Amino acid sequence: MSHVLLGVSGGIAAYKACEVVRRLREAGHEVQVAPTTAALRFVGVPTWAALSGRPVSVDVFDDPDQVRHVTLARWAELVVVAPATADLLARAAAGRADDLLTAALLTTRAPVVLAPAMHTEMWEHPATQANVALLRHRGVVVIDPDVGRLAGPDSGPGRLPTPEALVETVRRMLTRGAAATSPDLAGRHVVVSAGGTREALDPVRFLGNRSSGRQGYALAATAVARGARVTLVAANVTLAPPAGVRVVPVVSAAELGDAVLSVSRDADAVVMAAAVADFRPAHPSATKIKKSVSGPPRIELVTTGDVLAALVAARIPGQVLVGFAAETGDAGADVLGYGRAKLAAKGVDLLVVNEVGEHRGFESSDNQAVVLVADGTSREVGLGPKETLADVVWDLVAARWQPGADGAGE
Ligand code: CTP
């Protein structure tokens, strides 16, 4: 159980913060709500106090003997502001302390995560973007807003992520403990591919695989909690997208390849967690293949393009490339033997090798792997949640960016 200070600023998405309070409490956390005066025009003090089970004040001059901004800031193990309006971002970036929330933001030494929500024009305005960049530079995690329906008839980037996704980010940041105060992927753009491709046989059938996308989604979510800008190329995944992630949906290996290569041009790291088909039908039928008296059809397959190989060929200096290899081992070599050979053949910096088996790999929320590094070292990750493996991958990626690390495309 942790102490979470939830700041709420004055935007229509304030009503969604009620659900954030409820979910955080259900998860066992103590929640103190600090609304701005403007937030109270959307949701009143009684609602915040009832949901959080704690008294709520807005002004630094309420109970001055208790020096509320200091006690709150020290009490908090994490500060989350949702929604964070353009005005709140501006005040936080300028270091102002003109209400209880901004005073607490200036005082706290706990990790801070801001979830902006506003109209697209306000979000895209250079002033807001400069404020966000400054806050990120100072170690604040700023979650990019979702794209979608905004207040009124408008639609575009500016939506608050779902309460469920926000609470997930909070949970991940709390798990990181003190490390969350210095988000080591801040300022980085990372691309993750997830899921399994589908290669059409006809309009209703496909060749596919059992990848659920969970490992890729865990990689994306942990990268957000560590401050990265994340693009997730998702092949046929039904999971809810993590907060702050730009999702590019794809179906086939060819689409995945095009999408990954196009979004990776400015990426600091690309993690290919997707299970990409190695073969596709050479001649997919435009109409449904009918049962035929002459027996089942023969399906000719052709090889798909190797996306990792294309990434290696197009890599920009400093870009770290990570492959995944689900292996079973056979008479020819064991799982790690195949892994080492694949790392060398693919020319990647890291290869996450997992043995496919019960309770791990596909469709499971747990995984177990050995991460092979191009310098010959390796890191074993015992059976545990996919986000634990994800954090190890990001640790090793960040290590490749350190001056003096070999490789990383240079
Ligand atoms: N991969 C890729 N493009 C493909 C197939 C796979 O980029 N057309 C990527 C996967 O996303 C994964 C890595 O390559 O990160 C290893 O995938 P795997 O299927 O294990 O490798 P293959 O080279 O296909 O080797 P194998 O013969 O063992 O299937």
Side-chain angles (χ1 to χ4, degrees):
M1 181 192 349
S2 301
H3 294 169
V4 178
L5 177 59
L6 173 68
V8 183
S9 53
I12 181 64
Y15 79 93
K16 293 191 193 167
C18 299
E19 179 73 10
V20 173
V21 182
R22 200 179 60 76
R23 284 178 178 266
L24 287 172
R25 298 240 16 233
E26 276 173 10
H29 303 301
E30 290 262 8
V31 182
Q32 174 67 55
V33 184
T36 62
T37 319
L40 296 183
R41 298 181 74 120
F42 294 94
V43 181
V45 166
T47 305
W48 300 121
L51 286 172
S52 65
R54 299 173 71 91
V56 167
S57 53
V58 176
D59 200 321
V60 254
F61 297 106
D62 291 344
D63 314 309
D65 54 312
Q66 296 185 24
V67 207
R68 269 199 193 281
H69 63 290
V70 178
T71 44
L72 273 186
R74 290 192 183 146
W75 171 87
E77 289 161 80
L78 182 88
V79 182
V80 47
V81 183
T85 58
D87 180 63
L88 186 283
L89 294 172
R91 289 191 293 132
R96 297 192 58 149
D98 44 8
D99 59 14
L100 184 65
L101 175 57
T102 47
L105 282 171
L106 212 52
T107 313
T108 191
R109 294 295 175 265
V112 176
V113 50
L114 306 179
M118 63 198 74
H119 257 74
T120 305
E121 292 89 331
M122 295 175 86
W123 170 247
E124 289 176 347
H125 194 283
T128 304
Q129 288 302 309
N131 290 331
V132 168
L134 183 58
L135 288 161
R136 282 181 172 150
H137 179 71
R138 289 193 193 131
V140 172
V141 171
V142 183
I143 299 179
D144 279 342
D146 279 359
V147 178
R149 210 39 230 284
L150 304 169
D154 294 348
S155 180
R159 243 173 104 85
L160 190 72
T162 64
E164 190 185 6
L166 287 174
V167 170
E168 262 302 292
T169 308
V170 167
R171 190 183 62 73
R172 286 205 161 83
M173 290 187 67
L174 286 169
T175 314
R176 284 188 65 69
T181 49
S182 46
D184 55 350
L185 304 187
R188 302 289 186 173
H189 176 213
V190 303
V191 172
V192 177
S193 72
T197 60
R198 291 180 180 176
E199 310 306 318
L201 283 161
D202 70 14
V204 294
R205 303 183 183 94
F206 57 82
L207 294 179
N209 61 68
R210 291 172 54 204
S211 177
S212 64
R214 282 199 177 84
Q215 185 61 64
Y217 272 51
L219 280 154
T222 48
V224 170
R226 294 170 72 147
R229 178 162 71 88
V230 182
T231 308
L232 182 60
V233 178
N236 311 299
V237 183
T238 52
L239 305 168
V245 167
R246 180 183 158 222
V247 180
V248 181
V250 294
V251 176
S252 66
E255 279 176 30
L256 182 136
D258 288 348
V260 168
L261 283 163
S262 122
V263 298
S264 298
R265 283 192 201 114
D266 70 341
D268 297 289
V270 185
V271 181
M272 284 290 296
V276 186
D278 290 328
F279 310 104
R280 64 177 168 79
H283 309 289
S285 170
T287 52
K288 190 181 169 202
I289 301 167
K290 293 298 218 185
K291 224 183 287 173
S292 135
V293 281
S294 55
R298 296 187 82 78
I299 295 163
E300 190 193 337
L301 298 175
V302 290
T303 307
T304 57
D306 188 321
V307 184
L308 262 181
L311 283 167
V312 169
R315 93 200 282 177
I316 55 171
Q319 190 177 61
V320 175
L321 299 177
V322 184
F324 268 67
E327 302 284 352
T328 53
D330 57 26
D334 65 2
V335 170
L336 283 187
Y338 279 125
R340 274 275 164 224
K342 199 172 277 185
L343 175 84
K346 298 240 172 199
V348 290
D349 298 281
L350 305 172
L351 190 74
V352 183
V353 182
N354 47 18
E355 189 173 3
V356 181
E358 254 185 278
H359 306 307
R360 46 188 191 212
F362 299 123
E363 284 157 19
S364 153
S365 53
D366 283 350
N367 211 346
Q368 179 177 27
V370 178
V371 188
L372 303 176
V373 186
D375 63 9
T377 59
S378 62
R379 178 91 81 82
E380 216 168 301
V381 185
L383 186 63
K386 287 186 170 173
E387 67 193 60
T388 306
L389 175 58
D391 268 323
V392 171
V393 170
W394 294 126
D395 288 346
L396 294 170
V397 166
R400 304 287 293 172
W401 289 324
Q402 293 309 311
D406 81 297
E410 284 162 303

